[in-house]
Amino acid sequence: MPLLLHQLPHLPVPRPARPQAKRVLDLLGALALLGALAAPLLLIAGLLYATQGGRAFVREPAVGRGGRPFRTWRLRTDAGAGRLGTAVERCALDALPQLINVVRGEMSLVGPRPGPCTDRPERLFVRPGMTGLWQVSARSDLPWEEMALLDRHYVESHWLGMDLAILAQTPRAAYRHRQA
């Protein structure tokens, strides 16, 4: 069952995640996912390259923990990508190359989504994530203010149990988004 905004006060919050334990979870999870998804990811990238007449990967500017700029890896799904690019984006596969950013320590598996600016300064206290609390709550259907509130709640109270719950709910949330 997805985490919803009205349920936030009822979430247990024992203490913030220890940075070392979170980093170990990120590394092990990202490496396992890269190993399991390398072949399909390379196949999709090859198909995008062949059908788009150009590169399959793009790097987008983002702001990370402490305001450090970095570039996120993504599969190219812009207007030139056609039906294949649209399908990749709809299935939320375009963000899978961000596992590279997780391994490099620029991102986490779970956290506020990265962005090009510092519109919500509280996000700068943790690494941005591939998935997060608002993604499993309602995906992009939430108003901006509620997304900001969920990001703030995560930053102030994240713990490994919360991260594991969010990771467990992410595939279903991505599937719901694809069906929308």
Side-chain angles (χ1 to χ4, degrees), residues 13-160:
V13 184
R15 63 179 174 202
R18 291 190 175 124
Q20 303 88 346
K22 185 168 174 62
R23 182 70 184 130
V24 168
L25 174 67
D26 286 342
L27 272 175
L28 293 177
L31 290 172
L33 287 168
L34 277 172
L37 300 173
L41 188 59
L42 290 174
L43 175 65
I44 293 168
L47 290 170
L48 286 170
Y49 179 82
T51 60
Q52 296 180 123
R55 61 181 190 224
F57 295 97
V58 294
R59 298 198 59 204
E60 299 174 342
V63 175
R65 184 174 177 206
R68 287 183 209 94
F70 71 101
R71 294 190 167 277
T72 62
W73 285 91
R74 293 185 74 81
L75 286 170
R76 182 176 152 212
T77 58
D78 57 301
R83 286 192 338 201
L84 177 61
T86 302
V88 167
E89 189 174 58
R90 247 190 110 107
C91 294
L93 300 175
D94 58 322
L96 286 179
Q98 290 177 351
L99 290 166
I100 296 166
N101 295 105
V102 174
V103 170
R104 292 174 52 139
E106 298 162 328
M107 290 180 66
S108 179
L109 291 174
V110 180
R113 290 294 296 146
C117 62
T118 58
D119 57 344
R120 298 191 312 255
E122 67 275 358
R123 294 176 9 176
L124 301 178
F125 292 109
V126 296
R127 285 186 182 100
M130 290 183 64
T131 187
L133 193 52
W134 68 262
Q135 285 86 358
V136 299
S137 296
R139 298 284 301 185
S140 57
D141 300 337
L142 289 175
W144 186 91
E145 296 81 16
E146 288 189 44
M147 285 189 266
L149 184 60
L150 286 168
D151 278 348
R152 179 176 295 128
H153 177 76
Y154 179 83
V155 168
E156 292 173 353
S157 62
H158 68 283
W159 54 290
L160 289 180

